[in-house]
Amino acid sequence: MKLFSLSVLYKADAKANLLKAAYDVSSFSFFQRSSVQEFMTFTSQLIVERSVKGSRAAVKEQDYLCHVYVRNDSLAGVVIADNEYPSRVCFTLLDKVLDEFSRQVDRIDWPSGCPANIQYQGLDAYLARYQNPREADAMSKVQAELDETKIILHNTMESLLERGEKLDDLVSKSEVLGTQSKAFYKTARKQNSCCDIM
């Protein structure tokens, strides 16, 4: 999972104006980096120009997903990531960046701004922080912990059965289960056993 580009743009009537951008093109060869960066800028501007205000979209381009969010106030953000990076995390990132940008940069500067004269320094830090979506996003972190817990529970049940104990024996020896529950288990086990043979 990798983020390659994070851009803030202003959507004018005819075109999109790049205000600030951060790139991580370290995975490309040295000689390709400037061309890749230019292509990402071009793609970001094109996607914003073709998107309507108040919309969010994920656009697939070869092995990349371009996530765009154009706010109603014409401020827009684009994240370019690989196909494996979770879209929900990209849109969370865009929300945070655009909110912070709109608080720190005066709205009057948006239509005429360019990367050289916009005084906003947060994009590089966000791009670096969000490289690992599990660390940056609380929901992804919780999901990863749940997945790990599920694996641990699965391994625990397997290790229980590896010791030679069978679930059937445990049920029949159980003092907690009533006669009716034991009968229910045996009936369910018999009905499910036909599927094991096939």
Side-chain angles (χ1 to χ4, degrees):
M1 288 185 273
K2 180 122 178 99
L3 291 180
F4 299 103
S5 165
L6 174 58
S7 314
V8 177
L9 302 96
Y10 176 77
K11 180 178 172 57
D13 292 332
K15 65 176 207 138
N17 183 28
L18 181 67
L19 299 176
K20 210 68 173 171
Y23 304 94
D24 183 351
V25 291
S26 59
S27 59
F28 297 94
S29 78
F30 178 78
F31 299 106
Q32 292 177 319
R33 291 178 184 173
S34 63
S35 297
V36 167
Q37 189 169 318
E38 285 177 7
F39 180 74
M40 289 182 185
T41 302
F42 168 78
T43 303
S44 298
Q45 288 176 310
L46 182 67
I47 290 171
V48 170
E49 288 170 7
R50 305 265 169 108
S51 298
V52 295
K53 291 180 183 178
S55 68
R56 295 173 192 259
V59 179
K60 185 170 175 31
E61 173 58 34
Q62 296 177 5
D63 294 333
Y64 307 101
L65 269 176
C66 306
H67 301 83
V68 61
Y69 174 33
V70 182
R71 296 188 342 176
N72 287 322
D73 62 2
S74 297
L75 194 63
V78 177
V79 170
I80 299 177
D82 63 13
N83 285 329
E84 296 173 4
Y85 201 93
S87 292
R88 187 187 54 74
V89 179
C90 288
F91 287 116
T92 301
L93 171 59
L94 287 173
D95 279 336
K96 285 182 181 180
V97 166
L98 294 179
D99 285 345
E100 186 177 292
F101 186 91
S102 64
R103 285 193 306 271
Q104 292 184 16
V105 178
D106 195 356
R107 189 179 187 144
I108 297 168
D109 297 331
W110 299 354
S112 61
C114 68
N117 65 15
I118 295 291
Q119 299 302 313
Y120 177 73
Q121 305 301 324
L123 291 185
D124 289 315
Y126 275 116
L127 189 64
R129 180 173 165 223
Y130 274 78
Q131 285 300 333
N132 183 351
R134 291 182 181 157
E135 291 300 317
D137 181 62
M139 287 293 285
S140 294
K141 191 172 185 176
V142 168
Q143 184 61 49
E145 289 171 0
L146 288 173
D147 291 342
E148 289 172 11
T149 304
K150 201 165 44 174
I151 291 167
I152 291 168
L153 289 175
H154 183 69
N155 288 341
T156 304
M157 187 55 107
E158 283 181 0
S159 65
L160 175 77
L161 297 176
E162 285 174 7
R163 280 189 252 143
E165 291 182 307
K166 294 183 180 175
L167 196 54
D168 293 339
D169 296 338
L170 292 173
V171 168
S172 64
K173 292 178 185 176
S174 174
E175 296 174 7
V176 177
L177 293 173
T179 309
Q180 200 170 18
S181 296
K182 290 179 183 178
F184 173 77
Y185 172 78
K186 288 179 184 177
T187 305
R189 187 82 166 158
K190 284 179 187 176
Q191 287 178 349
N192 290 335
S193 67
C194 72
C195 299
D196 293 338
I197 296 169
M198 298 175 133

